[in-house]
């Protein structure tokens, strides 16, 4: 019973650290992207970081780059469900994922 409590405590601490790190990374990214001068640069920054981190929550801040953002992350994660969000890239998203995964059932 004592070992179980220690394991649960260790797991809780690990999850807390991961959550804290995740929030810190998002805050740092937000600060760096918001320092850009033009709106398109801010949007592009968020899209690039979202793709690098595979973090779809940042795609929402990428404005005109959002479609490509979702498309790239869908390819990275091999996740068809993100293709519906890939405005302007839906066809390419489904096609490329089908080719990448050899699963043509989505077509």
């Amino acid at each position: 019973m004592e070992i179980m409590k220690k394991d649960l405590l260790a797991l809780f601490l690990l999850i807390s650290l991961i959550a804290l790190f995740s929030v810190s990374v998002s805050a740092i990214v937000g600060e760096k992207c918001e320092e850009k001068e033009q709106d398109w640069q801010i949007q592009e920054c968020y899209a690039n970081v979202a793709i690098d981190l595979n973090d779809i929550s940042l795609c929402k801040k990428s404005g005109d780059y959002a479609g490509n953002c979702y498309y790239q992350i869908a390819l990275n994660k091999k996740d068809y469900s993100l293709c519906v969000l890939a405005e302007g890239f839906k066809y390419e998203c489904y096609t490329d994922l089908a080719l990448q995964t050899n699963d043509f059932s989505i077509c």
Side-chain angles (χ1 to χ4, degrees):
M1 188 66 140
E2 184 64 31
I3 293 174
M4 205 167 164
K5 286 181 184 178
K6 287 181 182 178
D7 289 342
L8 287 174
L9 179 61
L11 181 61
F12 174 76
L13 290 173
L14 179 62
I15 292 171
S16 297
L17 285 173
I18 291 170
L20 180 63
F21 176 74
S22 178
V23 169
S24 297
V25 169
S26 294
I28 291 168
V29 166
E31 285 180 23
K32 290 296 179 190
C33 289
E34 294 298 328
E35 289 176 357
K36 306 291 184 189
E37 291 184 19
Q38 304 291 321
D39 284 344
W40 70 267
Q41 292 171 317
I42 294 168
Q43 294 172 1
E44 182 182 46
C45 178
Y46 276 113
N48 289 336
V49 173
I51 293 164
D52 288 344
L53 298 176
N54 282 322
D55 183 351
I56 62 169
S57 70
L58 294 174
C59 290
K60 296 172 187 169
K61 296 183 177 187
S62 63
D64 294 339
Y65 297 86
N68 183 55
C69 185
Y70 289 115
Y71 164 60
Q72 295 297 328
I73 294 175
L75 292 179
N76 292 345
K77 291 186 169 188
K78 296 178 177 66
D79 184 351
Y80 285 107
S81 70
L82 296 176
C83 291
V84 74
L85 301 172
E87 289 297 323
F89 297 88
K90 287 181 184 180
Y91 175 79
E92 292 87 351
C93 188
Y94 288 115
T95 302
D96 290 348
L97 273 175
L99 291 170
Q100 186 178 25
T101 62
N102 286 322
D103 178 6
F104 300 97
S105 65
I106 195 70
C107 297

